[in-house]
Amino acid sequence: MKLLFAEDERSLSKAVVHILEKNCYNVDAVYDGESALEYLENGDYDGVILDIMMPKLDGICVLKALRSRGNPVPVLMLTAKAEIDDKVLGLDLGANDYLTKPFDTKELLARIRAMTRGRQAVDSCLTVGKVSLNRASFELSSPAGNFRLANKEYQIMELLMANPRQLIPTERFLEKIWGFDSNAEANVVWVYISYLRRKLTALKADVSIKAVRNAGYLLEETP
């Protein structure tokens, strides 16, 4: 799952991004409102965390612009302000939730899960053949055992298992998982695919990841 985090306090941004990545989120971090809007125009995000007090454009202006363009992406407003009027304004403009600094990281994670729940399948597990991926524990399992996947392994496997038998272009993995402004190249996707193939082999899985030359990858059941 891919998030955009807009927060101008860089030390806080770095700490929160680290926490989110440890919990298998893919995160793009920006430090002002103009950059947030640019990223939202060019990226595909499952959720946005917006600080209100940012340079260039504040979070309220970003939220206004976002909703005026018809973008329904879930938004969590994050701010040091605790006044009721600020909360009401943000919610009236289309924010999904509001969290006041300082906050507990467990609460932040819970609120992110709550606001993005509708963008996931109702079931917290994806299953193809006899292989399952638990979206809560990040475990890939089969009757032969299980592995807890690392962040990017999980992101790739989730995309494949949510779209079984569908060809997913390499560029889609790069955009969704590494971000549109990343310098990552196509071979990095192949590296993580190879990690996942080894795990599927160890699990004696009845699914495999097929590579289509110069096109992408797909997950298919094997006889």
Side-chain angles (χ1 to χ4, degrees), residues 52 58-61 63-64 67 77 81 83-98:
I52 284 190
D58 64 35
I60 293 294
C61 290
L63 178 62
K64 270 186 181 178
R67 295 304 187 230
M77 303 300 292
K81 290 187 175 182
E83 289 82 359
I84 293 297
D85 287 347
D86 293 316
K87 295 182 179 182
V88 170
L89 178 59
L91 294 170
D92 283 346
L93 288 172
N96 297 77
D97 202 354
Y98 213 106

Side-chain angles (χ1 to χ4, degrees), residues 4 167 209:
L4 178 67
L167 179 66
I209 302 172

Side-chain angles (χ1 to χ4, degrees), residues 10-63:
R10 293 188 181 236
S11 59
L12 175 60
S13 175
K14 184 177 180 180
V16 171
V17 167
H18 177 70
I19 290 165
L20 293 174
E21 289 181 342
K22 279 188 68 176
N23 284 271
C24 286
Y25 290 103
N26 180 39
V27 189
D28 284 338
V30 295
Y31 310 106
D32 63 75
E34 285 184 1
S35 297
L37 277 180
E38 180 185 352
Y39 273 60
L40 287 163
E41 278 188 10
N42 294 284
D44 181 14
Y45 295 96
D46 298 294
V48 182
I49 306 167
L50 277 181
D51 183 37
I52 284 190
M53 300 300 291
M54 289 189 293
K56 298 185 180 179
L57 281 177
D58 64 35
I60 293 294
C61 290
V62 174
L63 178 62

Side-chain angles (χ1 to χ4, degrees), residues 153 156 186-196 198 217:
E153 289 179 331
I156 289 174
N187 63 342
V188 75
V189 180
W190 178 86
V191 170
Y192 280 93
I193 291 288
S194 69
Y195 296 158
L196 289 168
R198 289 174 200 164
Y217 302 89

Side-chain angles (χ1 to χ4, degrees), residues 151-175:
N151 188 348
K152 287 183 170 56
E153 289 179 331
Y154 169 78
Q155 298 280 345
I156 289 174
M157 201 66 200
E158 183 187 37
L159 195 54
L160 287 166
M161 292 188 69
N163 302 278
R165 298 172 292 280
Q166 295 182 36
L167 179 66
I168 301 175
T170 302
E171 292 75 16
R172 172 66 172 157
F173 288 107
L174 290 171
E175 175 191 343

